[in-house]
Amino acid sequence: MKYIVVTGGVMSGLGKGITTASIGRILKSRGYAVTAVKIDPYLNIDAGTMNPAQHGEVYVLSDGGEVDLDLGNYERFLDIELTSDHNITTGKVYRTVIEKERRGDFLGTTVQIIPHITDEIKASIARAAGKPVDHGTAEICLVEVGGTVGDIESMPFLEAIRQMRGELPARDMALVHVTLVPMDTMGDMKTKPTQHSVKALREVGIAPDIIVARGERPLSEGTKRKISAFCDVKQKAVISAATMPDIYQVPVELEQEGLADVITDFLGLERREADPSWYRTVMRKYTGKVTVGLVSKYGIEDVYISIKEALKHAGRALSTEVQIRWIDAEHYTARDLEEVDGIVVPGGFGSRGIGGKIQAITHAREKRVPFLGLCFGFQLAVIEYARGVLGIADAASEEFGSGTFVVALLPEQKGIGQLGGTMHLGDYPVMLSEGTLAARLYGRSDIMERHRHRYEVNPEFIPALEKAGLVFSGTNGVRMEACEIPGHPFFLGTQFHPEFRSRPAHPSPPFLGFVTACRERRRNAPPRERQG
Ligand code: GLN
């Protein structure tokens, strides 16, 4: 097993996750079996209990792990399926060590950060690296250390990396440091922040082998030379990573910088030609454009990253650029809805903003605007139908606290007091009924999709809803998993989250169908004319 450890300097938000995923991609395109581990130095056991507005989307894995959004990037770039063990947090490490202490595993010793915590970190990395991906065990494992070098939180992890480096044969680990090269007012590239962050890394006993410099513009040869000299890294190992128009083009950029050969040479692996299929998928030209309104409490950037990417995958496959417009569920005007070619209501929790979301669904249903409701969006579509068509004016979800509960707590959730990691989570099979939109989109009747919810369509109301025309096109035998309105150009709600399984080369069927419908609508009634 070869390890590529990725650390970050200067500041957070540099795109370390995308860089890590892109390094994995260029190696995978060379036929290497690659896996990836994300280290998150926070005390939460997992990302499931964090506010997405602060930490970004909670990504859901097939095993039900609620993890950091970077695992979504790894899955999308590497086209693999990871497990909860691939996201190591301080919380998980300490929990394991403390459980061992209570069991008596360390009897007679003082339990300390070094060696007990660092040993557990190394064991966790090795365990995750050894888990099968694709069709066997990986040859290369990427390890991304979250946070910025110098943070107190990440110290034990960097110490564990330092130890690993000493314990492994020299060519089995490469250290990639991602930094920022800003520009001054004269347009000169400044290397000082990079020099300082490399110094901070050296203080904890680690020296980088490769430096990936992020910035608005590509590095000049002179700047590369300077970084090479000051940071003691070979000049060809100073890689320029300027901001790209699309994250999927970052591997193409790293490819052009020659990073693949630098890494394979460093690790003593053979140089190989890259398979061009990634390039073909992500460089496909757009010939048209649609605007999709995403009605939610939070802005789109990191909170709905999987939805944003799934729309992009579908758009790319259809040569259609998808522009997402964030529609704030609590403050929007009729015009906001009129100016979009389709409406998405994403997953969510709690009752804030539901009025606006339901109003947007009414608009989509009545004005025949393409609609995709995901999880909470599906539940709200059912509630909207109960209110608008069945006439249950106070139709609601039990989650809101009052009203007629057309959406109710899952029976197995009753009595659950502990909230971390206890939702209905991960991959579960769904059966689609023949002849429905959902079955047509997937081209099959048995599918597997990821879940993350506590509530379901209340079984008591299913017959009435069906009688009123709502079709439940997907079920798991007992629970309703998808709904649609026959005769509507595209109205689909899913209790599951199809966005988590969408990949650049295999877009998710509901998203593909939705973007196709948006394109149709724009062709037949471009937004400007619709405004009249
Ligand atoms: N809050 C809803 C539930 O728990 C929907 C969850 C979601 O959208 N992920 O069922």
Side-chain angles (χ1 to χ4, degrees):
M1 176 70 62
K2 305 274 185 181
Y3 291 95
I4 300 172
V5 176
V6 182
T7 56
V10 186
M11 62 175 212
S12 60
L14 279 182
K16 188 157 36 98
I18 299 295
T19 304
T20 306
S22 299
I23 294 173
R25 179 69 251 173
I26 60 178
L27 293 166
K28 180 146 183 188
S29 291
R30 283 171 169 68
Y32 287 107
V34 182
T35 188
V37 174
K38 172 79 195 284
I39 290 175
D40 278 307
Y42 45 68
L43 276 161
N44 303 59
I45 296 287
D46 59 40
T49 51
M50 279 189 269
N51 182 342
Q54 264 181 38
H55 190 73
E57 168 183 277
V58 178
Y59 189 75
V60 182
L61 298 169
S62 53
D63 73 355
E66 298 172 280
V67 294
D68 183 79
L69 59 81
D70 276 320
L71 276 87
N73 289 324
Y74 306 160
E75 287 204 341
R76 287 186 281 266
F77 278 72
L78 296 171
D79 205 358
I80 52 175
E81 291 210 339
L82 298 170
T83 69
S84 316
D85 289 345
H86 292 91
N87 194 183
I88 301 171
T89 65
T90 301
K92 283 182 189 166
V93 172
Y94 273 75
R95 181 174 65 182
T96 309
V97 172
I98 290 168
E99 276 167 7
K100 282 187 184 165
E101 186 276 333
R102 288 292 82 185
R103 218 169 40 217
D105 290 11
F106 307 125
L107 281 185
T109 43
T110 309
V111 183
Q112 292 176 301
I113 293 182
I114 303 171
H116 301 94
I117 294 294
T118 47
D119 280 352
E120 179 54 33
I121 292 169
K122 289 188 283 182
S124 307
I125 294 173
R127 227 174 10 244
K131 286 211 157 186
V133 279
D134 279 339
H135 306 293
T137 314
E139 300 154 271
I140 302 172
C141 178
L142 291 145
V143 181
E144 178 188 348
V145 185
T148 307
V149 172
D151 294 347
I152 290 183
E153 279 86 357
S154 57
M155 288 298 183
F157 293 103
L158 292 174
E159 167 58 17
I161 300 292
R162 189 195 65 78
Q163 292 175 16
M164 272 175 82
R165 186 154 230 210
E167 290 157 10
L168 289 170
R171 302 184 93 181
D172 281 2
M173 184 190 277
L175 221 131
V176 180
H177 188 56
V178 182
T179 77
L180 176 72
V181 177
M183 255 176 319
D184 67 9
T185 46
M186 309 294 288
D188 285 336
M189 294 188 169
K190 308 311 281 181
T191 63
K192 196 70 80 189
T194 299
Q195 295 178 38
H196 279 294
S197 77
V198 169
K199 196 173 150 217
L201 208 50
R202 287 185 186 282
E203 275 165 13
V204 296
I206 307 173
D209 306 307
I210 294 162
I211 290 180
V212 174
R214 293 275 299 111
E216 281 312 303
R217 281 204 258 132
L219 295 187
S220 63
E221 279 310 303
T223 309
K224 283 190 177 178
R225 208 175 310 125
K226 202 164 162 193
I227 293 175
S228 161
F230 280 106
C231 303
D232 200 20
V233 166
K234 292 212 174 65
Q235 192 171 329
K236 65 174 197 286
V238 180
I239 304 295
S240 168
T243 303
M244 298 297 281
D246 179 358
I247 51 169
Y248 299 114
Q249 292 169 8
V250 176
V252 177
E253 183 187 30
L254 299 183
E255 199 63 86
Q256 283 159 357
E257 282 286 297
L259 180 58
D261 288 346
V262 171
I263 290 190
T264 45
D265 288 355
F266 191 90
L267 293 175
L269 297 168
E270 66 182 23
R271 287 189 178 193
R272 291 182 188 165
E273 283 297 309
D275 167 354
S277 50
W278 178 267
Y279 182 88
R280 284 198 204 115
T281 307
V282 307
M283 300 304 276
R284 195 186 186 125
K285 292 270 177 298
Y286 292 130
T287 54
K289 187 176 155 181
V290 295
T291 306
V292 168
L294 191 112
V295 187
S296 68
K297 289 192 286 195
Y298 310 117
I300 48 168
E301 275 318 309
D302 274 355
V303 179
Y304 303 107
I305 180 167
S306 292
I307 295 175
K308 184 173 109 188
E309 297 309 322
L311 286 168
K312 208 197 281 174
H313 303 159
R316 198 56 93 174
L318 297 163
S319 298
T320 302
E321 184 175 1
V322 182
Q323 195 186 2
I324 304 178
R325 181 186 301 186
W326 178 45
I327 298 180
D328 182 344
E330 291 175 290
H331 315 272
Y332 69 83
T333 62
R335 202 190 166 114
D336 288 319
L337 296 180
E338 279 155 19
E339 286 177 0
V340 296
D341 304 302
I343 293 171
V344 174
V345 177
F349 294 84
S351 54
R352 183 159 70 82
I354 54 156
K357 292 181 190 174
I358 289 179
Q359 223 175 324
I361 300 171
T362 309
H363 173 88
R365 180 173 59 77
E366 291 179 350
K367 301 272 159 54
R368 301 173 57 79
V369 179
F371 168 78
L372 184 60
L374 305 166
C375 201
F376 199 43
F378 155 82
Q379 295 174 353
L380 291 175
V382 173
I383 291 168
E384 193 282 330
Y385 207 83
R387 289 186 187 179
V389 181
L390 261 187
I392 308 176
D394 69 342
S397 166
E398 199 169 344
E399 192 175 359
F400 309 158
S402 66
T404 302
F405 298 147
V406 172
V407 171
L409 196 64
L410 284 165
E412 59 268 33
Q413 288 283 327
K414 295 199 172 110
I416 286 184
Q418 181 177 310
L419 296 183
T422 55
M423 275 188 253
H424 183 67
L425 290 166
D427 265 3
Y428 286 97
V430 172
M431 272 116 49
L432 304 175
S433 322
E434 225 174 287
T436 59
L437 169 67
R440 252 194 336 273
L441 292 171
Y442 280 91
R444 54 189 298 166
S445 56
D446 57 323
I447 59 164
M448 188 67 91
E449 289 283 12
R450 299 186 190 173
H451 295 70
R452 182 176 189 238
H453 63 112
R454 276 186 215 284
Y455 298 85
E456 62 164 346
V457 178
N458 187 343
E460 280 175 39
F461 291 90
I462 295 169
L465 285 160
E466 284 178 330
K467 218 164 140 225
L470 191 65
V471 169
F472 287 107
S473 47
T475 73
N476 75 339
V478 270
R479 181 181 326 123
M480 298 305 107
E481 289 275 3
C483 73
E484 53 193 73
I485 301 174
H488 187 289
F490 190 98
F491 191 101
L492 180 69
T494 62
Q495 179 61 80
F496 49 86
H497 288 273
E499 67 271 27
F500 294 134
R501 284 177 74 113
S502 186
R503 305 285 176 261
H506 331 278
S508 162
F511 284 86
L512 214 42
F514 173 70
V515 176
T516 306
C518 293
R519 204 176 52 172
E520 285 302 303
R521 180 171 166 86
R522 194 180 186 103
R523 264 200 205 128
N524 301 332
R528 209 159 295 132
E529 280 170 42
R530 288 205 297 267
Q531 287 163 41

